[in-house]
């Protein structure tokens, strides 16, 4: 079985092979039609999630009458496993990442997904998703400053050694990397301190090395979550 994850910037398809994940397909999200054609040609049972409706529609159109792909929706989640007021708008990637982390930790989990958007979510020790935070990812912070203050220098993504910034470059670095990391640290502190902390997403490695709490980095949390739900619900018989 293949597992499909459509994020804001990338389409990823992986399969569980023995005891590890094998990447089968990786392309920009705007190549959704090509991804749909690839899925149809492979003819392999696939489950997926998507946070980009246009990409979802493009894949469905490319699949035509093929029934090899099933999209996870909120209706597929275990009853009473989501404590969230607007369930219909919950990004399935947020739930799946938390579920994936819970398969590795016998305790509550906090999951930071540091991608285009940065989410910080919580799942308790009973496997109930309790909600979280959605904020701009680090790249969006940088892009916004460059777009609206183009005369400021482009800087290395890191925190300066000295506080406060003693030159314009260091001041910008504090305002970007420093502010982003401080925001993440402050939001994580609002959760249960005994919870295990996991980090995923394209900026996950960078972020995990700089936040104040020790975190486990795992780029496959969403895929572990989908795999767990498939095993629990026995999709495709």
């Amino acid at each position: 079985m293949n597992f499909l994850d459509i994020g804001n910037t990338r389409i990823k398809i992986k399969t569980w092979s023995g005891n590890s994940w094998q990447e089968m397909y990786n392309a920009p999200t705007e190549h959704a039609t090509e991804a749909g054609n690839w899925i149809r040609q492979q003819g392999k049972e696939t489950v997926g999630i998507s946070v980009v409706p246009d990409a979802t529609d493009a894949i469905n159109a490319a699949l035509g009458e093929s029934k090899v792909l099933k999209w996870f929706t909120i209706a597929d989640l275990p009853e009473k496993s989501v404590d969230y007021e607007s369930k219909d708008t919950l990004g399935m990637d947020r739930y799946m990442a938390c579920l994936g982390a819970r398969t590795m930790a016998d305790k509550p989990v906090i999951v930071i997904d540091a991608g285009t958007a940065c989410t910080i979510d919580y799942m308790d020790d009973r496997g109930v998703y309790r909600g979280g935070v959605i904020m701009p990812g680090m790249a969006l912070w940088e892009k916004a400053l460059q777009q609206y203050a183009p005369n400021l220098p482009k800087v290395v993504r890191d925190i300066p050694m000295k506080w406060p910034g003693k030159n314009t470059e260091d001041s910008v670095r504090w305002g970007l990397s420093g502010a982003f990391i401080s925001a993440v640290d402050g939001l994580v502190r609002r959760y249960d301190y005994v919870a295990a902390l996991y980090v995923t997403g394209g900026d996950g490695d960078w972020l995990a090395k700089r936040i104040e709490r020790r975190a486990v980095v795992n780029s496959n949390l969403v895929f572990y979550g989908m795999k767990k739900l498939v095993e629990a619900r026995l999709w495709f018989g």
Side-chain angles (χ1 to χ4, degrees), residues 15-28:
T15 190
W16 182 251
S17 179
N19 58 0
S20 64
W21 290 101
Q22 180 181 353
E23 187 168 82
M24 308 297 292
Y25 187 92
N26 189 324

Side-chain angles (χ1 to χ4, degrees), residues 36 39-41 43-44 60 62-70:
I39 294 170
R40 177 172 47 80
Q41 291 164 5
K44 190 173 183 179
N60 287 337
L63 287 172
E65 298 299 318
S66 174
K67 303 296 184 183
V68 296
L69 172 62
K70 172 178 173 51

Side-chain angles (χ1 to χ4, degrees), residues 145-199:
L145 192 64
Q146 292 165 10
Q147 180 176 350
Y148 291 103
N151 292 324
L152 289 175
K154 294 182 179 180
V155 297
V156 175
R157 184 186 286 186
D158 210 345
I159 299 178
M161 296 296 293
K162 295 181 180 179
W163 168 262
K166 298 297 185 181
N167 56 66
T168 302
E169 287 195 1
D170 281 359
S171 297
V172 172
R173 288 167 67 195
W174 272 115
L176 289 174
S177 297
F180 182 77
I181 293 165
S182 294
V184 171
D185 281 335
L187 291 165
V188 168
R189 284 190 217 113
R190 297 176 69 93
Y191 290 112
D192 183 352
Y193 192 76
V194 303
L197 180 61
Y198 286 81
V199 181

